Every structure is written in structure tokens, then in C-alpha cells.
Amino acid sequence: MRTRVHFIAPYESMIPIIEECIPRYPQLSVLTEVGDLAKGVELAVQAEKKGAEIIISRGGTAQLIKQAVTVPVIDVQLSGYDMIRSLTLASQYNGQTAIVGFSNITSGAQSIIDLMDLPLKVYTIHSSEEVARLLLELKASGYQQIVGDVITVNTAKAYGLEGLLIQSGTESIRRAMEDAQLVYRYLSKNQTLSVILNDLVTQEHPNLLILGEQDDVVFENLTDFDRNPLTDNHLYLINTSLEFHQSRIQNVFMVDDYQLTVQAYETTLDDKSYKVYLLEKGEPYAFAQFGIMTYTDSSMEPIVAESPAMQALLKNIRALYAHHEPIYLLGEADSGKSFLVKHMHQMHSGGGLLLQIDLSQVPSGHLHKIPLTKVKTVELNQIELRLNDPELLTFIEACLQSSIGLFILSEHVPDPNWTLKLSLNMLLMPSLADRAEDLEPLMQHFLTGYYNKYGTTAVRIKEDALQLIRDQAAHMNVNQLKHLIKQAALNEPDYVITSETLNRLLHQQSAANAGAMKLNGTLKEIEKEIIQLVLQEENNNQSKAAERLGINRATLWRKLKD
């Protein structure tokens, strides 16, 4: 009979490496899932209920799981190879970079940094509670990139910093599985009764909390919650009611976007008193209409704004948003307008909801039904379709009266015949061509993101490959650049993205564009599209493009400018 091992990876890109190692250990029956910290704990608890005999995880997630389950937990240790690969990638970043982690990470990192003479600083923490304060201090000192474990990287992103995760490689995973085999030999097999009783309780009460006389947690099983939703105020109200009624009581609270029902009673065992809480999570408070999306995610991606154009735009948006003035953000499609709104909401709203509304999908008669109590920011798209809709005008006025940040996103200048009596503040979203200083940081940001998400091999871009992208930037938007870097990262087998890989991708893209060329514009628009396509195929060399088209370079320039 094989040992049942449950591997909880704190990040997605660890899964392919685990699956690559599994065939080497036929005596283990290994299941994998992805979950960090509280989510990882939840998965581990569920895995134990389903019969897992050993849990494997990493870092802070492994430490939390050890406190929540009764089976052995193996902590995946970082190898020197893991550290060298991550630090090499980190050293490619242009801004100041800090390595933040517990001593098991930082001691090894410091040795490698000294040996390789890397431009990185190391900061050791002694508890996860120190992370947030330390990152704020590092940000104030000018650090822009933080390297560390999952909790450190997620906290860095929450504060608008670049985060780079130190990933575990094949050697580390194999060593953890070998440890699992060793530990299992020493397991006691006389815990059957305990497991059965625990299963009975948790199946009967999927959300159960038991507190001791000092409100210490005696037992906790919260299947439907990421964390304990009861605040100190909730407990004070419930416990006061328990003392008064001396019987089973029920309270109902609103927590975030759902209704929480709590039944509670007291029981005594061996002259000690315990409070038992049975929790029930209600249906989420949601905006169910098509075309309306809500964001409550507190994580935050940093925005790249090294170009003067983006810095000026951010400064003006911040000033208008702080005064609750409506903003009309004008720019070409896929230039990052919506991402900018989300960033402003996360940075400056102080919490609450962000509503993203596509007016082309919202049926008439539904806007006025949207409750605005918890809303801090509204983003309106496709407003051209409902310019003189009285319901839309009423909705906008209601947002402004509630001091809600209002963004109208469009690719077109405001219609002068719009009947809304409102002074719009029109701001221009710079195109990628206007953001030359942002180009390289954007590429490095995307490359790091795919390394973190997919575990891609490439960690930097060669200079001639960078120049190739610079030459194409005038014909790309932000999303196209992101897609190109993604394809390059996925297709590059080496650590450095080469111009050969990029050339191959760009030519394939040009061929696809040629096949998808639209001929439904005016003659002038079709002519301009053909010129841009030839320019892409000639790597933005205007002389070669003009020669192919049978015109001189000045004519080509004039036709592009018109």
C-alpha cells in the first residue's frame, strides 16, 4: 500500500516541477493542490480529512499547516541552485532591490551575493508580522523590488512594489519527497479512533469554532471561510447575549459582502467552560447584472510610470480623484486605461468596491438599482452608446453626490451634444510610443510576472532584442507588448531572450496580421494600414519600407502622419 502524500504548493508554477518528480517515487501516492497561507491551511485540513498521511508544503504555509493538522508536515527547503537562479534574475532589475525573509533564506542569500558580488541588500525578519512594516520602510528608502517568499512578494505587491518569488527547483522537491518517505516509517498507526472522531465532528459542523475560558482557540474548522470572520466586537455581542440568556442564542452580522449567522452556546467539561460557535455563511451581496463587475481584491500591481507623460498623468489623476471630480480618460484601445483606474482605486480609495460598468451590456432600467453604499470608484465604458440616456445621467449625478470617484473611459473625444450638465476633466492616456522611458521597465515587469506565474526560464532580454522591440513600439499597445513578452518567455529555452526568438515571433505576428487585415475603412485608412504592415515586416526600417512600396521616404512619412 502506497503512502498518501498531499503536496500543497504555495504558488502555481511549483506544480509542473512536482509532477515531474512524482514518477521517481512509486511508493508514494501524491496529490497536488495550490494554496498559500490560510488557503493552504484550508486545503491541508481537507486533505487530512480525506486520508492524507503526510503533507508537504513550503515556508510560512508549511508552518501554518503544522499548527492546523495532526499528520506530519514536511517543509520544502530552498537549495543553493534555487537561490542562485532567483538572485541572478533579481540583479537584472534596474531599481534598488532587497532580499527579505527569515534567516533560512537570507543567510544563504547573503553568501551568494557576496560570492557573486551582486548589487542586492539582505534584510532578515524573525516573524511574518515584521514584513509589512519593513517593506514600508524599504519603499520609503527608495527600494522598488522585493525578493522573498510568497507572503513577502504578495505584501510587496500590495504596497505597489515589484515582487520576485524565490522558487523551489527539482532538487528541493525531490529532497522533500525523500523526507516524506523517511518520516512515514516512524508514523504511529494507532490514531484511527482520533481520525474517525475528528471526521464525525467536522462533517456534522463544517464551520465550528470552540473557545476556552480565556477566549483561546480550542478547536477551529472553518470550511466556508478563508479566516475566522468573527471580530472582537462580534464576540463581545455574542458573549454578552450568552451570559444574559444562559441558553443557545443566534446573532446575524454583515461581514464584507455576505451575511454571517452565528449560533452559540456554552458547555462545561472537567469544571472548565467552553463557548461553542456554529457559523453559517449567507449568499454573497453581488451585482448580478451583465456588464457590471466588482473588484474587492486588495492586492496591488505596481504601475510603471518613469516617462514624463505617465508621471504627469498620474499626478493630475491623483489630484482630481482626491477632490471627487469626474475624469474623462481618453486613449487608444488596450493602452492600460482600465488598469490605471484599478491602480488609483487600490492606492487612494481607502477600501470599498470598484465597479466596472460596460454600458453596451447593461440593460436599460438597471443602473438605478445598483446600491452605491459600499462603492468608492466607478469606471464607465462604451458611454457613446447611451449619451443622452436620462437614467445614465441620473446615475452619474448620484455617484458624484456620494463622493464616488468617477472615470469615463473612451477612445473618442466627448460628444459636444451630450446633455449632461457636467464639467468633464479630460485627460489623455499616453500611447506606448509616448512612453519610451517606460518600455524597458514594462518588459522586465512582464518577464518577472511570467517567471513567477509559469516558472519560465528566461530572466532577462538581450540588448539587440530590446532594440528590436523599441523599433516596433510605435506600432504596439501595452497589451500587445505584454503578449509578445509572454510568447517570448514561453518559447525561449535559455535564460536570456534573444533577437532570434523575437524576430521569429514578430514575423509570425506580421503574417497573422496580414491575414487578418480589415478592408472596411476608407481608402486612406487602408493605405495607412498597409504601410504599417510593411514597416513591421521591415523591422521599422522606413527606407526599406518605402523602397518596397515604390515611394520615397518623405512621402511614406507624410502618409503615416496624415
Short mmCIF file of all heavy atoms in Angstrom, two decimals, residues 49 97 105 178 201 209 217 267 303 336 344 380 401 441 474 528:
data_model
loop_
_atom_site.label_atom_id
_atom_site.label_comp_id
_atom_site.label_asym_id
_atom_site.label_seq_id
_atom_site.Cartn_x
_atom_site.Cartn_y
_atom_site.Cartn_z
N LYS A 49 -8.68 15.21 6.24
CA LYS A 49 -10.00 14.56 6.39
C LYS A 49 -10.18 13.45 5.36
O LYS A 49 -10.86 12.45 5.63
CB LYS A 49 -11.12 15.60 6.20
CG LYS A 49 -11.21 16.62 7.31
CD LYS A 49 -12.28 17.64 6.97
CE LYS A 49 -12.33 18.74 7.99
NZ LYS A 49 -13.29 19.80 7.58
N THR A 97 17.04 46.78 -5.07
CA THR A 97 16.40 45.50 -4.77
C THR A 97 16.84 45.03 -3.38
O THR A 97 18.01 45.14 -3.02
CB THR A 97 16.80 44.44 -5.81
OG1 THR A 97 16.31 44.86 -7.09
CG2 THR A 97 16.18 43.09 -5.47
N ILE A 105 16.48 31.78 4.57
CA ILE A 105 16.62 32.32 3.21
C ILE A 105 17.79 33.30 3.15
O ILE A 105 18.66 33.22 2.28
CB ILE A 105 15.32 33.04 2.76
CG1 ILE A 105 14.20 32.02 2.55
CG2 ILE A 105 15.54 33.87 1.51
CD1 ILE A 105 12.89 32.64 2.15
N GLU A 178 11.76 12.60 -0.44
CA GLU A 178 12.58 11.60 0.25
C GLU A 178 12.38 11.71 1.77
O GLU A 178 12.30 10.70 2.48
CB GLU A 178 14.05 11.81 -0.12
CG GLU A 178 14.35 11.39 -1.55
CD GLU A 178 15.67 11.93 -2.06
OE1 GLU A 178 16.36 12.60 -1.28
OE2 GLU A 178 15.97 11.70 -3.24
N VAL A 201 -17.06 15.06 13.68
CA VAL A 201 -17.35 16.41 14.14
C VAL A 201 -17.33 17.39 12.98
O VAL A 201 -18.24 18.22 12.81
CB VAL A 201 -16.31 16.85 15.21
CG1 VAL A 201 -16.46 18.34 15.50
CG2 VAL A 201 -16.50 16.05 16.46
N LEU A 209 -16.29 26.72 15.73
CA LEU A 209 -15.23 27.37 16.50
C LEU A 209 -15.52 27.14 17.98
O LEU A 209 -16.64 27.36 18.44
CB LEU A 209 -15.20 28.87 16.19
CG LEU A 209 -14.19 29.72 16.96
CD1 LEU A 209 -12.77 29.36 16.56
CD2 LEU A 209 -14.45 31.21 16.73
N VAL A 217 -8.34 29.68 21.32
CA VAL A 217 -8.94 28.77 20.35
C VAL A 217 -8.62 27.33 20.74
O VAL A 217 -7.46 26.92 20.76
CB VAL A 217 -8.44 29.05 18.92
CG1 VAL A 217 -9.04 28.04 17.94
CG2 VAL A 217 -8.81 30.47 18.50
N THR A 267 -20.78 25.17 27.16
CA THR A 267 -20.78 23.81 27.71
C THR A 267 -19.64 23.69 28.72
O THR A 267 -18.69 24.50 28.68
CB THR A 267 -20.63 22.77 26.58
OG1 THR A 267 -20.80 21.46 27.14
CG2 THR A 267 -19.26 22.85 25.94
N ILE A 303 2.49 50.22 -10.88
CA ILE A 303 2.30 50.79 -12.21
C ILE A 303 3.63 51.36 -12.67
O ILE A 303 4.36 51.97 -11.88
CB ILE A 303 1.19 51.85 -12.19
CG1 ILE A 303 0.77 52.18 -13.61
CG2 ILE A 303 1.60 53.10 -11.43
CD1 ILE A 303 -0.55 52.89 -13.69
N GLY A 336 -4.08 50.53 -21.42
CA GLY A 336 -3.93 50.41 -19.96
C GLY A 336 -4.83 51.34 -19.17
O GLY A 336 -4.58 51.56 -17.98
N MET A 344 -5.51 53.33 -9.24
CA MET A 344 -5.89 54.51 -8.46
C MET A 344 -6.86 54.13 -7.34
O MET A 344 -6.77 54.64 -6.22
CB MET A 344 -6.53 55.56 -9.37
CG MET A 344 -5.59 56.15 -10.41
SD MET A 344 -4.11 56.91 -9.68
CE MET A 344 -4.85 58.19 -8.69
N LEU A 380 -16.84 53.76 -16.17
CA LEU A 380 -17.86 53.62 -17.21
C LEU A 380 -17.19 53.41 -18.56
O LEU A 380 -16.31 54.17 -18.95
CB LEU A 380 -18.74 54.87 -17.26
CG LEU A 380 -19.63 55.13 -16.04
CD1 LEU A 380 -20.35 56.46 -16.20
CD2 LEU A 380 -20.64 54.00 -15.84
N GLN A 401 -22.69 62.87 -6.17
CA GLN A 401 -23.26 63.33 -4.89
C GLN A 401 -22.78 62.46 -3.73
O GLN A 401 -22.71 62.90 -2.59
CB GLN A 401 -24.79 63.31 -4.97
CG GLN A 401 -25.36 64.42 -5.83
CD GLN A 401 -26.84 64.25 -6.10
OE1 GLN A 401 -27.48 63.34 -5.55
NE2 GLN A 401 -27.39 65.10 -6.95
N PRO A 441 11.27 49.02 -18.38
CA PRO A 441 10.68 48.54 -17.11
C PRO A 441 9.41 47.72 -17.31
O PRO A 441 9.18 46.76 -16.59
CB PRO A 441 10.38 49.85 -16.36
CG PRO A 441 11.30 50.85 -16.94
CD PRO A 441 11.47 50.48 -18.39
N ALA A 474 6.31 51.75 -31.67
CA ALA A 474 5.40 52.76 -32.23
C ALA A 474 4.14 52.12 -32.80
O ALA A 474 3.13 52.79 -33.00
CB ALA A 474 6.11 53.58 -33.29
N LYS A 528 -2.91 53.39 -45.01
CA LYS A 528 -2.08 53.55 -43.83
C LYS A 528 -1.81 52.21 -43.15
O LYS A 528 -0.71 51.93 -42.67
CB LYS A 528 -2.78 54.50 -42.84
CG LYS A 528 -1.89 54.97 -41.70
CD LYS A 528 -2.59 56.06 -40.92
CE LYS A 528 -1.67 56.59 -39.82
NZ LYS A 528 -2.30 57.69 -39.07
#
